[in-house]
Amino acid sequence: MYALTYERRRLTGIRSTWLILLTVLLVDAVIAALTVRQPALAQPVRVLTAGVPLLPLPVAALGAGAVGALSYGHEVRYPSLRLLLLPARRRLALLLAKLVVIGVFSALLATATLGLDAGVYAVVLHRVPAPSPALAGFAALVVTAGWIGLLAAGLLRSASAGLLVLLTLPVLVEPAVTALRGGLAGQRTTRALARALWPVGGSRAWLYGPLSGLRDTASLSPRGLVLLVAGPVLLLLLGYLVLLPRRRGV
């Protein structure tokens, strides 16, 4: 309970959290406003999630991941806190508290962006956007991004490294899965790899495409989508738990 209270106060008491929150909401609203004015792009899911093909993740997910990666900043920046975290049980309690707080923050951020973009959609087109199961998946993706940034930063002891992992995972995971599934069979290897590593276009996007209206939802099964979204979190969590007893401090 002490760790949860500490993490909640830390998150709400630093300026970077609010700056990231305001930046995400502003950028998200601008993207939604630009998208909804183009009839060819004004699908409800795409507008509500502010999907941009050139970004490896939606704006809300990038913001949640940034807050998650920065969540270890105080523990790393101030050596005096490390003495309190020498016992492994305290570090585990702090990790669980961070996962809970970042998860709640990310869920609220996803809800806020969806509500804001729904307002933009209603104001411009004068109708309420239809709900879609992809929106729940989008919210799950935002929470997952927050956890990936948190766990990667904790594992590598660097917020910058956590952000780098967050940005590279969507770029590398899907091509790797496609190759393992034999998607490159019968094609020119160079050309297939180039398309896999740059999957943007009229019908393709990164692995989050079905959750942002950037790609047909039928292109990924629910099981495959869950695996792609939750798999990195479980691997990072396993790596952190393996190294936890061998470390002193965070």
Side-chain angles (χ1 to χ4, degrees):
M1 185 60 68
Y2 289 114
L4 195 61
T5 302
Y6 160 77
E7 181 58 23
R8 176 181 59 80
R9 291 178 176 176
R10 186 205 61 78
L11 184 71
T12 57
I14 57 177
R15 196 166 33 180
S16 61
T17 300
W18 302 105
L19 290 176
I20 292 174
L21 175 62
L22 292 176
T23 302
V24 167
L25 293 177
L26 178 61
V27 174
D28 210 78
V30 170
I31 294 175
L34 294 176
T35 304
V36 76
R37 295 180 185 275
Q38 304 181 45
L41 303 177
Q43 298 91 350
V45 174
R46 182 164 188 168
V47 175
L48 267 60
T49 58
V52 179
L54 293 179
L55 292 180
L57 284 169
V59 176
L62 291 174
V67 173
L70 292 173
S71 65
Y72 268 94
H74 279 166
E75 288 77 11
V76 174
R77 190 178 301 119
Y78 301 113
S80 60
L81 293 176
R82 299 181 187 180
L83 297 177
L84 302 175
L85 298 174
L86 288 180
R89 56 183 177 80
R90 290 187 179 177
R91 281 175 279 151
L92 182 59
L94 180 62
L95 173 65
L96 294 177
K98 287 181 178 294
L99 288 173
V100 171
V101 173
I102 293 299
V104 172
F105 172 84
S106 302
L108 292 176
L109 179 60
T111 303
T113 55
L114 289 175
L116 180 63
D117 295 342
V120 173
Y121 187 96
V123 168
V124 176
L125 298 182
H126 304 289
R127 64 175 183 268
V128 178
S132 170
L135 299 180
F138 167 78
L141 179 64
V142 175
V143 174
T144 301
W147 285 342
I148 289 176
L150 163 66
L151 291 171
L155 183 64
L156 301 175
R157 294 183 174 181
S158 169
S160 300
L163 287 173
L164 182 62
V165 170
L166 178 70
L167 293 173
T168 55
L169 274 178
V171 181
L172 299 178
V173 168
E174 186 177 10
V177 173
T178 301
L180 290 175
R181 291 174 59 185
L184 304 181
Q187 303 182 39
R188 291 184 178 180
T189 305
T190 304
R191 183 178 179 182
L193 282 175
R195 284 197 63 191
L197 291 173
W198 186 250
V200 293
S203 60
R204 304 196 68 199
W206 308 112
L207 66 88
Y208 77 91
L211 303 178
S212 293
L214 298 175
R215 186 174 56 194
D216 185 9
T217 55
S219 60
L220 280 177
S221 65
R223 179 184 301 178
L225 194 57
V226 169
L227 180 62
L228 287 174
V229 171
V233 174
L234 296 178
L235 289 176
L236 289 171
L237 180 59
L238 179 62
Y240 186 92
L241 294 178
V242 168
L243 294 179
L244 184 66
R246 306 179 183 181
R247 286 182 171 179
R248 292 178 60 85
V250 295

